[in-house]
Amino acid sequence: LGKLPRRKGGRPEFKFPRFGTPEEVDYYGLLAQIEAAKQLNIPRVVLVSSMGGTDKDNFLNTIGVKTDGTGGQILMWKRKGENALVESGLDYTIIHPGGLLDESGGKRRLVLGVDDELLKREVRNIPREDVAEVCVQSLLCDGARMRAFDIIADPAGEGEATTDFEGLFASETRSYDYGKDPGEPMAALPYGIDI
């Protein structure tokens, strides 16, 4: 251990790759997908995003922020893109999963919520396989149309595994309130990108 280099303490630095910032990927990239979906007459769009978008101070918004305030703001750019999808006129479902688990799906009770209310729970994660199943079921169930919601799974063994997805979507009738978003993210590309 005596030979390990000593490094100044503090938070590690993080940089996004060229053309890989949240503004470019999560906002302008989604705008391009929305435009393509319209041109191709795609009947339904299912978007997987992230919980935490109502909190400007969420840790994910601080990753990669430059000294001028641009960069980073992942969740804020995601919400701005989601709002564009909501206003696009396309048929959509937006899913905000909790922390993703590398575990088998189909074994837990799934829980819906909105506006990051589920972040108040002690356990707020979900197997990736369950998120994938919710995406597929969102295409098949009318109860998931034109909605944005958060989703987590109860701990294994608590309650019966979700199999009735129409019932799951009916268990929470509200949709994410984009009016609760914490404001505009700081644009590094004030003139946008041609789409």
Short mmCIF file of all heavy atoms in Angstrom, two decimals, residues 33 39 42 55 64 72 78 94 104 115-116 118 121 123 157 170 174 176 179 185:
data_model
loop_
_atom_site.label_atom_id
_atom_site.label_comp_id
_atom_site.label_asym_id
_atom_site.label_seq_id
_atom_site.Cartn_x
_atom_site.Cartn_y
_atom_site.Cartn_z
N GLN A 33 -35.53 11.32 -33.34
CA GLN A 33 -36.35 10.11 -33.35
C GLN A 33 -37.84 10.44 -33.50
O GLN A 33 -38.57 9.74 -34.20
CB GLN A 33 -36.13 9.32 -32.07
CG GLN A 33 -34.74 8.71 -31.99
CD GLN A 33 -34.51 8.01 -30.67
OE1 GLN A 33 -35.29 7.16 -30.28
NE2 GLN A 33 -33.43 8.38 -29.99
N GLN A 39 -42.34 10.86 -39.79
CA GLN A 39 -42.16 10.64 -41.22
C GLN A 39 -42.49 9.21 -41.63
O GLN A 39 -42.97 8.97 -42.73
CB GLN A 39 -40.73 10.99 -41.63
CG GLN A 39 -40.45 12.47 -41.60
CD GLN A 39 -39.01 12.80 -41.95
OE1 GLN A 39 -38.24 11.96 -42.37
NE2 GLN A 39 -38.64 14.07 -41.77
N ILE A 42 -44.94 5.85 -37.58
CA ILE A 42 -44.81 4.86 -36.52
C ILE A 42 -46.05 4.98 -35.62
O ILE A 42 -46.36 6.07 -35.14
CB ILE A 42 -43.52 5.08 -35.70
CG1 ILE A 42 -42.29 4.99 -36.59
CG2 ILE A 42 -43.44 4.13 -34.52
CD1 ILE A 42 -42.03 3.65 -37.22
N ASP A 55 -36.28 16.74 -9.61
CA ASP A 55 -35.31 17.30 -8.67
C ASP A 55 -34.09 17.85 -9.40
O ASP A 55 -33.23 17.10 -9.86
CB ASP A 55 -34.87 16.22 -7.68
CG ASP A 55 -33.89 16.71 -6.64
OD1 ASP A 55 -33.63 17.94 -6.57
OD2 ASP A 55 -33.37 15.87 -5.88
N GLY A 64 -20.80 15.74 -15.04
CA GLY A 64 -20.34 16.33 -16.28
C GLY A 64 -20.65 17.80 -16.47
O GLY A 64 -20.43 18.33 -17.56
N GLY A 72 -23.73 18.05 -18.66
CA GLY A 72 -24.46 17.35 -17.60
C GLY A 72 -25.96 17.56 -17.69
O GLY A 72 -26.53 17.56 -18.77
N LYS A 78 -33.38 14.90 -20.36
CA LYS A 78 -34.32 13.81 -20.62
C LYS A 78 -35.75 14.32 -20.55
O LYS A 78 -36.58 14.02 -21.41
CB LYS A 78 -34.12 12.67 -19.62
CG LYS A 78 -32.91 11.80 -19.90
CD LYS A 78 -32.82 10.70 -18.85
CE LYS A 78 -31.63 9.81 -19.07
NZ LYS A 78 -31.74 8.97 -20.26
N ILE A 94 -44.12 6.68 -21.79
CA ILE A 94 -42.80 7.01 -21.24
C ILE A 94 -42.67 6.32 -19.90
O ILE A 94 -43.51 6.50 -19.02
CB ILE A 94 -42.61 8.54 -21.10
CG1 ILE A 94 -42.78 9.22 -22.46
CG2 ILE A 94 -41.25 8.85 -20.47
CD1 ILE A 94 -42.86 10.73 -22.41
N SER A 104 -33.43 -11.87 -12.74
CA SER A 104 -34.53 -12.38 -13.56
C SER A 104 -35.81 -11.60 -13.29
O SER A 104 -36.08 -11.21 -12.15
CB SER A 104 -34.78 -13.86 -13.25
OG SER A 104 -33.65 -14.62 -13.58
N ASP A 115 -44.28 11.39 -10.84
CA ASP A 115 -43.63 12.57 -10.25
C ASP A 115 -42.60 12.22 -9.17
O ASP A 115 -42.45 12.95 -8.18
CB ASP A 115 -44.68 13.54 -9.69
CG ASP A 115 -45.67 14.00 -10.75
OD1 ASP A 115 -45.29 14.04 -11.93
OD2 ASP A 115 -46.82 14.29 -10.39
N ASP A 116 -41.91 11.12 -9.33
CA ASP A 116 -40.83 10.70 -8.42
C ASP A 116 -41.30 10.37 -7.01
O ASP A 116 -40.48 10.29 -6.09
CB ASP A 116 -39.71 11.76 -8.37
CG ASP A 116 -39.03 11.94 -9.70
OD1 ASP A 116 -38.95 10.96 -10.46
OD2 ASP A 116 -38.56 13.06 -9.98
N LEU A 118 -42.16 7.56 -5.92
CA LEU A 118 -41.59 6.27 -5.53
C LEU A 118 -40.16 6.39 -5.00
O LEU A 118 -39.67 5.48 -4.35
CB LEU A 118 -41.63 5.29 -6.72
CG LEU A 118 -43.02 4.92 -7.23
CD1 LEU A 118 -42.91 4.02 -8.45
CD2 LEU A 118 -43.85 4.27 -6.13
N ARG A 121 -39.61 5.75 -1.28
CA ARG A 121 -39.61 4.39 -0.74
C ARG A 121 -38.18 3.93 -0.47
O ARG A 121 -37.23 4.37 -1.12
CB ARG A 121 -40.29 3.44 -1.72
CG ARG A 121 -41.77 3.73 -1.85
CD ARG A 121 -42.41 2.87 -2.88
NE ARG A 121 -42.29 1.45 -2.57
CZ ARG A 121 -43.25 0.58 -2.70
NH1 ARG A 121 -44.43 0.96 -3.13
NH2 ARG A 121 -43.06 -0.70 -2.44
N VAL A 123 -36.97 0.80 -0.89
CA VAL A 123 -36.56 -0.02 -2.02
C VAL A 123 -37.19 0.57 -3.26
O VAL A 123 -38.41 0.70 -3.34
CB VAL A 123 -36.99 -1.50 -1.84
CG1 VAL A 123 -36.63 -2.32 -3.07
CG2 VAL A 123 -36.34 -2.08 -0.60
N GLY A 157 -40.49 -11.69 -2.96
CA GLY A 157 -41.23 -12.33 -1.88
C GLY A 157 -42.32 -11.48 -1.27
O GLY A 157 -43.14 -11.98 -0.51
N ALA A 170 -53.85 0.20 -14.77
CA ALA A 170 -55.06 0.79 -14.18
C ALA A 170 -54.85 1.15 -12.71
O ALA A 170 -55.61 1.95 -12.15
CB ALA A 170 -56.23 -0.17 -14.32
N ARG A 174 -52.88 8.42 -12.84
CA ARG A 174 -52.24 9.71 -13.12
C ARG A 174 -51.09 9.52 -14.11
O ARG A 174 -50.59 8.44 -14.29
CB ARG A 174 -51.70 10.34 -11.83
CG ARG A 174 -52.77 10.63 -10.80
CD ARG A 174 -52.17 11.06 -9.48
NE ARG A 174 -51.33 9.99 -8.94
CZ ARG A 174 -50.35 10.18 -8.07
NH1 ARG A 174 -50.08 11.39 -7.62
NH2 ARG A 174 -49.64 9.16 -7.62
N TYR A 176 -47.26 11.51 -15.40
CA TYR A 176 -46.22 12.45 -14.97
C TYR A 176 -46.63 13.87 -15.30
O TYR A 176 -47.13 14.16 -16.39
CB TYR A 176 -44.90 12.09 -15.67
CG TYR A 176 -43.72 12.88 -15.19
CD1 TYR A 176 -42.99 12.47 -14.09
CD2 TYR A 176 -43.33 14.04 -15.84
CE1 TYR A 176 -41.90 13.19 -13.64
CE2 TYR A 176 -42.24 14.77 -15.41
CZ TYR A 176 -41.52 14.35 -14.31
OH TYR A 176 -40.45 15.07 -13.87
N GLY A 179 -45.22 19.89 -15.67
CA GLY A 179 -45.20 21.21 -15.05
C GLY A 179 -44.35 21.23 -13.78
O GLY A 179 -43.99 22.29 -13.29
N PRO A 185 -32.70 23.32 -18.68
CA PRO A 185 -31.28 23.05 -18.52
C PRO A 185 -30.47 24.12 -19.26
O PRO A 185 -30.98 24.78 -20.17
CB PRO A 185 -31.10 21.67 -19.15
CG PRO A 185 -32.27 21.49 -20.05
CD PRO A 185 -33.37 22.34 -19.51
#
